[in-house]
Amino acid sequence: MLDVDLVIRAPRALIDGEVRSASVAVDGGVVVGIGPMAAPWNAADEVTLGDDQVLLPGVVDTHVHVNEPGRTEWEGFASATAAAAAGGVTTIIDMPLNSIPPTTTVEALALKRAVAAQKARVDVGFWGGAIPDSLGGLRLLHDAGVFGFKCFLAPSGVDEFPHLGPAQLRVAMEEIAAFDGRLIVHAEDPGHLHDGIAPGSDPVAFAATRPDSAEVSAIEAVIGGVRDTGVRAHILHLSSAAALPEIRAAKAEGLPLTVETCPHYLTFDAAHIPAGGTQYKCCPPIRDEANREALWEALADGTIDLIASDHSPATADLKLAGHGDFAQAWGGIAGLEVSLSAVWTGASARGHELVDVMRWMSEATAAWAGLDSKGGIAIGKDADLVAFAPDDERVVHATDLHHKNPVTAFDGHVLRGVARVTWLRGTVVHGPGAIEGAAGRLLTRP
């Protein structure tokens, strides 16, 4: 057998769409062999997992707000990527806001890459931003290696990242389609938002200020633009199941449209959010229980393509502003570290298996982003691996998590599944024997 750096022997490993016993040989950070559990690899280091653990591929999270530089008090690359590693996430793609400057120019991308290179514990890629001032120059960012372009169709919440109006959206679509880029869209129609209504401490009333019709109208506009321009478009953080018929029809038509949802939409419902619970505030909002179940059904039938965290933290004074007033508090949920556990908790309760969860959170996300070396345990892929204990339960305590500010919607909730060890290209970045400091690489669009 080969001489290798590492062999991991697992009574249970997720390989080729099934869980079975296996040994995985790693050399130079890459999986170089897969054999029976007792295969006689000649390894410099050897690990045998317990019967309570499953060897999984690392999660690829394509929707993370790191906020550094400029708002590093909200989050930073050191804290965000430590949280990722602790949750079994080995690759993140950073959103172009809420950093200052936002990633809307080549110069801003270079600044962000320089900061991340010193701190990233996992691999990091970057999205660019499509705002009114960046239109006409998106090809430069594309050539610099961003994975695509984020835009808002309603105000983003930060002045330096303004939204696109209908005519600007069409310009962006035509420009991006010309070089076969990808547009990722925060799809809410500002004409359907009820900003003048004061929801106070009522989470159901807050959800009503951003009704289903806002998502439906915006998604219809995106679909129409995709049909006319041929641009590859992606609907971010789908909250409203009311948009599913339009999405299904667009996919049946063969349009290049993909869709994600997030762990918080699959876990919570508005009626069970406590009064004043602004740690649950996000945009679009968490809706009712029937809506949540329809999102699960859309994952199961393939209408929704993937799950990403939309980790969007802020300082406690912003997240809890107004003493529980949903109109004043910052909207965004910090959930990167618990995203795998949260989805597994909900999925297993509904009869899904780990293979389903990893398809939504690793295989599909990696393939969608074009990261062929990620998203599975296979010869030639990066040895991004997780020893996951699927039956372990824990109560989440915000103060125990690695992201910068101890506020999260998942605080106090019982979740199932714990990442015991995380390897990035065969190096332990979380768990016993983890290395210190940065281990991640900066990724560019393939």
Side-chain angles (χ1 to χ4, degrees):
M1 304 296 283
L2 293 174
D3 291 334
V4 296
D5 297 330
L6 169 69
V7 63
I8 303 173
R9 303 186 189 278
R12 293 186 291 169
L14 178 55
I15 298 170
D16 294 333
E18 64 176 357
V19 175
R20 57 183 173 86
S21 65
S23 60
V24 177
V26 178
D27 198 65
V30 175
V31 176
V32 295
I34 297 173
M37 186 174 172
W41 305 106
N42 183 19
D45 187 22
E46 186 168 310
V47 175
T48 300
L49 303 189
D51 292 339
D52 63 330
Q53 298 174 41
V54 183
L55 188 66
L56 301 177
V59 170
V60 177
D61 192 336
T62 53
H63 191 156
V64 178
H65 293 266
V66 177
N67 305 328
E68 187 176 13
R71 288 194 175 95
T72 310
E73 70 275 16
W74 293 20
E75 186 67 286
F77 283 102
S79 50
T81 58
V89 179
T90 51
T91 302
I92 66 171
I93 306 185
D94 172 64
M95 283 290 159
L97 74 163
N98 300 299
S99 56
I100 302 175
T103 316
T104 55
T105 66
V106 172
E107 293 76 17
L109 173 64
L111 176 61
K112 184 169 280 195
R113 288 176 60 87
V115 173
Q118 305 172 48
K119 303 178 181 181
R121 197 154 181 78
V122 302
D123 287 356
V124 180
F126 304 90
W127 295 106
I131 62 174
D133 286 348
S134 68
L135 299 182
L138 300 180
R139 180 63 185 258
L140 294 173
L141 264 177
H142 178 80
D143 290 346
V146 297
F147 281 76
F149 299 91
K150 165 82 172 280
C151 75
F152 280 74
L153 304 188
S156 70
V158 292
D159 292 340
E160 67 276 3
F161 203 96
H163 67 287
L164 301 181
Q168 293 165 328
L169 173 64
R170 183 55 60 94
V171 169
M173 287 180 153
E174 292 173 348
E175 182 178 355
I176 294 167
F179 53 78
D180 194 29
R182 174 176 275 127
L183 182 67
I184 63 174
V185 186
H186 181 124
E188 289 183 288
D189 184 338
H192 289 253
L193 302 181
H194 306 310
D195 294 329
I197 298 175
S201 63
D202 186 349
V204 176
F206 168 67
T209 70
R210 307 183 84 93
D212 295 275
S213 62
E215 284 190 83
V216 172
S217 176
I219 289 170
E220 288 175 342
V222 172
I223 291 171
V226 171
R227 183 180 293 114
D228 291 345
T229 67
V231 71
R232 294 184 295 153
H234 179 74
I235 303 300
L236 296 164
H237 46 51
L238 181 70
S239 156
S240 174
L244 291 171
E246 286 78 8
I247 292 168
R248 288 189 174 106
K251 289 191 164 196
E253 189 180 335
L255 297 181
L257 182 75
T258 51
V259 182
E260 73 182 45
T261 193
C262 305
H264 39 279
Y265 299 128
L266 298 168
T267 301
F268 306 122
D269 68 274
H272 290 91
I273 294 174
T278 54
Q279 65 270 34
Y280 295 85
K281 180 182 176 181
C282 55
C283 300
I286 294 166
R287 304 190 188 278
D288 61 34
E289 186 174 1
N291 182 89
R292 180 189 66 197
E293 297 310 308
L295 295 178
W296 277 108
E297 292 170 6
L299 275 166
D301 69 21
T303 303
I304 298 175
D305 299 273
L306 55 93
I307 300 171
S309 70
D310 190 11
H311 177 72
S312 186
T315 57
D317 62 322
L318 290 172
K319 197 74 192 83
L320 306 175
H323 304 288
D325 186 340
F326 277 84
Q328 296 186 47
W330 173 259
I333 289 178
L336 176 59
E337 185 169 339
V338 298
S339 60
L340 173 57
S341 297
V343 174
W344 170 238
T345 300
S348 59
R350 292 166 177 81
H352 296 292
E353 303 292 340
L354 275 171
V355 63
D356 302 312
V357 172
M358 300 315 295
R359 183 174 67 252
W360 298 324
M361 302 186 74
S362 183
E363 180 183 351
T365 48
W368 176 73
L371 295 172
D372 293 341
S373 66
K374 311 290 187 181
I377 303 175
I379 293 173
K381 288 187 181 289
D382 290 347
D384 298 347
L385 306 166
V386 183
F388 186 70
D391 298 323
D392 281 8
E393 289 189 344
R394 61 167 170 162
V395 178
V396 176
H397 298 291
T399 53
D400 293 340
L401 302 179
H402 291 74
H403 67 259
K404 183 162 287 188
N405 291 282
V407 180
T408 178
F410 294 93
D411 188 41
H413 289 271
V414 177
L415 296 183
R416 185 171 182 237
V418 175
R420 294 296 183 200
V421 184
T422 303
W423 291 267
L424 180 70
R425 288 184 302 279
T427 296
V428 178
V429 291
H430 165 71
I435 66 164
E436 299 291 334
R441 294 177 180 171
L442 304 187
L443 306 175
T444 57
R445 186 194 72 262

